[in-house]
């Protein structure tokens, strides 16, 4: 089992048409964002223009969570609204226009990956997934098999668990909890 703590301040930023994006992780490490050959990518973006068109990706499922306010959005010409911290799911090649400015969490997962899920939790969890993504919404302590990890707001813990060991999680506050199996 390999545990990586990734902080927003150490993430690399790049420009997208609506603001900035901060990449925490691309997997596998040999993958390239421009080549669209990754199995998953964890990032956070600022939406600085409204309206703004989301970048399209063919062959990816996407989870998006607004971190600082709600979201008014149009997906394939259908208007939708999401509350702060509500999980939005869509295909990365959908036509998506945001009418809200703010900061979001993004998790893109290749359609080649058969099993993935994102939820918000603050309760104890048992998990045997190959990859576990934990995103702190606030200052928090996450215990992994009783070992505490202190996270600042918007920090990420990624657990690579190729042996599918049973892992116990205990959360002091609400976090995003993602699982992925290849």
């Amino acid at each position: 089992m390999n545990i990586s703590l990734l902080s927003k301040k150490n993430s690399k930023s790049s420009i997208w048409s609506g603001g900035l994006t901060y990449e925490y992780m691309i997997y596998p490490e040999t993958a390239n964002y421009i080549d669209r050959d990754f199995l998953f990518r964890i990032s956070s973006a600022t939406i600085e223009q409204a309206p703004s068109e989301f970048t399209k990706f063919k062959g990816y499922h996407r989870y998006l969570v607004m971190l600082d306010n709600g979201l008014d959005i149009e997906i394939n010409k259908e208007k939708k609204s999401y509350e702060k911290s509500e999980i939005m799911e869509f295909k990365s090649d959908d036509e998506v226009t945001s009418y809200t400015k703010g900061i979001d969490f993004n998790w893109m997962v290749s359609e080649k990956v058969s099993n993935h899920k994102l939820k918000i939790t603050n309760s104890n969890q048992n998990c045997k997934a190959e990859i576990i993504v934990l995103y702190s919404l606030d200052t928090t302590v996450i215990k992994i098999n009783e070992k505490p990890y202190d996270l600042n707001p918007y920090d990420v813990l990624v657990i690579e668990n190729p042996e599918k060991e049973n892992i116990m999680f205990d959360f002091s506050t609400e976090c995003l909890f993602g699982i992925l199996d290849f």
Side-chain angles (χ1 to χ4, degrees), residues 22 24 42 53 94 104 106 145:
Y22 299 87
Y24 288 91
I42 302 166
E53 303 290 325
D94 286 341
D104 66 26
N106 283 284
N145 293 335

Side-chain angles (χ1 to χ4, degrees), residues 55-173:
T55 306
K56 287 185 175 187
F57 291 82
K58 195 166 196 82
Y60 287 88
H61 185 87
R62 193 158 164 185
Y63 298 94
L64 186 137
V65 178
M66 288 302 288
L67 302 172
D68 58 347
N69 59 18
L71 177 66
D72 291 321
I73 201 155
E74 196 172 270
I75 303 172
N76 298 324
K77 310 284 185 218
E78 183 182 343
K79 292 181 187 267
K80 295 185 177 194
S81 292
Y82 292 87
E83 299 293 323
K84 175 184 172 185
S85 300
E86 185 178 359
I87 297 169
M88 175 181 148
E89 294 184 54
F90 58 99
K91 291 182 181 178
S92 286
D93 60 355
D94 286 341
E95 288 185 30
V96 180
T97 304
S98 173
Y99 294 97
T100 307
K101 294 179 182 181
I103 302 169
D104 66 26
F105 164 83
N106 283 284
W107 187 29
M108 287 185 246
V109 180
S110 171
E111 290 177 351
K112 296 174 188 172
V113 177
S114 60
N115 185 26
H116 51 87
K117 186 70 182 152
L118 182 68
K119 65 182 179 179
I120 295 177
T121 188
N122 64 354
S123 62
N124 295 345
Q125 301 284 322
N126 279 347
C127 186
K128 293 182 180 182
E130 286 180 66
I131 302 282
I132 300 137
V133 174
L134 305 167
Y135 188 84
S136 64
L137 299 171
D138 204 341
T139 302
T140 191
V141 176
I142 298 174
K143 288 184 183 175
I144 300 173
N145 293 335
E146 299 298 320
K147 181 178 178 188
Y149 292 84
D150 295 315
L151 281 75
N152 291 315
Y154 310 150
D155 282 353
V156 177
L157 274 176
V158 177
I159 298 107
E160 296 174 68
N161 185 24
E163 304 298 319
K164 292 191 166 190
E165 299 173 43
N166 186 41
I167 303 171
M168 278 288 305
F169 295 96
D170 184 21
F171 302 93
S172 66
T173 61

